Amino acid sequence: MLQVQNITFAYAEKPILKNIHFNIQKGQNIAIIGESGCGKSTLLKLIYGLHDLDEGTIFWNKHEILGPKFHLVPGMPFIKYLSQDFDLMPYITVAENVGKYLSNIHKDLKNDRVQELLEIVEMTDYANVKAKYLSGGQQQRVALARALALEPEILLLDEPFSHIDNFRKNALRRNLFAYLKAKGTTCIVATHDSTDALSFADETIVLFNGQIIDMADSQSLYENPINKYVASLFGEVNELQLSDIVEVDGVDEQVLLYPHQLKVVENGLMEVVVKQSYFKGSYYLIKAVYNRKVIFFEHETSLPINESVRLMIA
């Protein structure tokens, strides 16, 4: 179990993280989401041991994770941290980069391991290419393979798919997280991509202004966001009064609705004016205005600009 117990950290006087507390079980995949500057990357660095805590403790089972004051070389041997700086050696090959920390005593076993890892990140065709000739996305995949090489107990990933093309990103995510589950490796991913949380994370931590404001299974966070900030991390969201869209008796309340939760009907209570239609493949995202407020909803076709339509809950 990873135990993060009431940790606080500041680079200068203003704390970056304040009273962070959570536990993670072995083999779980955890996503950390939040706006830029909320402390996602810093939290990963603290778990790895790159900085000294101002307050609190971090334990992996019975091992306390300590920073540079206690270790000449920062970082814990049973953890691998993949930062947004890939740190590959440019003048050696992809295979040599991946196998850099593997023992040379059994060459055949080392070569088999490197081949396995290159298959996971779909880089087998580049095994003998020097790293300096790779694109940013290719370098990121090689760095990911190298982080997996020694089978860490905990893998910390900071925006691990940010440089990778969408058509490769989806397959890579499936391969990676299936591999980690099979190995029982604990994984923590700091990400801006909601797919990392919704499709692959067992639980998601939401950071805001250096504090955890929610932590739950990803589906619950998405379906029951505690506020607009949490909902907006998964995409566009509308903040409305319930009485805007349905007839209510008694106390009115504020509701958060994603675009797919609103639909066009003839007799809807809410009349909006269309301002833009965005093609999304299987549907259009419609931008409209209601009482001087921007509203988003989904529709099967584009709609004419300045057309009035009525909406209700889908």
Side-chain angles (χ1 to χ4, degrees):
M1 180 189 292
L2 179 69
Q3 298 173 299
V4 177
Q5 302 174 333
N6 300 315
I7 66 171
T8 296
F9 175 79
Y11 289 111
E13 293 183 0
K14 183 180 178 181
I16 301 298
L17 294 169
K18 296 168 281 189
N19 299 319
I20 301 294
H21 181 92
F22 60 87
N23 296 326
I24 297 175
Q25 301 297 325
K26 175 177 169 57
Q28 279 191 306
N29 175 25
I30 304 297
I32 304 175
I33 61 175
E35 63 184 354
S36 297
C38 68
K40 300 187 298 295
S41 297
T42 299
L43 180 55
L44 293 188
K45 292 174 182 178
L46 292 171
I47 293 173
Y48 186 45
L50 290 182
H51 301 302
D52 295 301
L53 296 171
D54 295 332
E55 296 178 17
T57 57
I58 301 174
F59 281 88
W60 172 245
N61 295 326
K62 296 181 180 180
H63 301 283
E64 184 172 7
I65 297 173
L66 300 170
K69 288 181 181 178
F70 302 89
H71 296 287
L72 183 62
V73 179
M76 306 303 291
F78 49 86
I79 303 176
K80 284 299 177 185
Y81 167 58
L82 178 60
S83 69
Q84 296 183 53
D85 177 11
F86 313 134
D87 193 30
L88 298 179
M89 298 185 69
Y91 297 104
I92 64 175
T93 68
V94 165
E96 289 168 336
N97 267 286
V98 173
K100 179 180 177 182
Y101 301 112
L102 294 175
S103 172
N104 288 311
I105 295 175
H106 302 287
K107 286 281 190 179
D108 290 342
L109 293 178
K110 177 177 180 177
N111 292 337
D112 289 345
R113 177 63 174 158
V114 170
Q115 178 68 19
E116 177 190 19
L117 293 168
L118 290 179
E119 288 175 1
I120 291 172
V121 298
E122 299 183 344
M123 286 292 290
T124 52
D125 292 342
Y126 296 87
N128 297 316
V129 176
K130 290 183 179 179
K132 68 176 182 177
Y133 297 121
L134 301 178
S135 68
Q138 290 169 334
Q139 289 183 31
Q140 193 166 35
R141 287 150 61 193
V142 174
L144 181 57
R146 188 181 62 182
L148 295 170
L150 291 176
E151 298 191 359
E153 296 178 44
I154 306 175
L155 182 63
L156 306 175
L157 304 176
D158 193 354
E159 301 288 353
F161 312 110
S162 58
H163 291 76
I164 299 172
D165 297 330
N166 282 333
F167 79 98
R168 289 199 179 275
K169 182 187 298 186
N170 295 328
L172 177 58
R173 276 193 287 223
R174 290 192 294 268
N175 293 344
L176 173 64
F177 291 119
Y179 173 85
L180 295 176
K181 279 295 182 184
K183 293 290 186 179
T185 303
T186 303
C187 181
I188 306 176
V189 183
T191 181
H192 282 96
D193 190 336
S194 61
T195 303
D196 295 333
L198 291 175
S199 298
F200 300 102
D202 300 305
E203 289 189 282
T204 296
I205 295 171
V206 182
L207 286 182
F208 176 71
N209 196 25
Q211 294 180 297
I212 294 178
I213 62 170
D214 206 355
M215 179 176 180
D217 70 89
S218 303
Q219 185 174 346
S220 295
L221 280 179
Y222 176 79
E223 293 178 346
N224 304 288
I226 61 171
N227 55 32
K228 187 176 181 180
Y229 171 78
V230 174
S232 68
L233 296 174
F234 298 105
E236 302 291 354
V237 64
N238 303 302
E239 190 173 27
L240 301 168
Q241 293 300 124
L242 186 60
S243 58
D244 291 333
I245 45 180
V246 296
E247 295 182 356
V248 296
D249 295 323
V251 179
D252 196 2
E253 62 179 288
Q254 194 173 67
V255 292
L256 298 172
L257 296 173
Y258 296 108
H260 73 271
Q261 294 177 301
L262 292 172
K263 67 177 181 179
V264 176
V265 293
E266 290 185 2
N267 58 348
L269 290 181
M270 185 167 64
E271 184 176 4
V272 303
V273 179
V274 175
K275 292 301 179 183
Q276 190 69 51
S277 297
Y278 302 97
F279 182 56
K280 292 292 187 178
S282 60
Y283 67 93
Y284 283 81
L285 179 67
I286 311 298
K287 177 183 176 181
V289 173
Y290 172 72
N291 287 344
R292 299 184 179 180
K293 178 188 291 186
V294 173
I295 300 294
F296 291 95
F297 62 94
E298 293 182 8
H299 197 60
E300 61 270 18
T301 63
S302 63
L303 296 173
I305 294 176
N306 292 327
E307 178 179 347
S308 294
V309 296
R310 293 183 173 275
L311 303 177
M312 68 174 291
I313 295 180

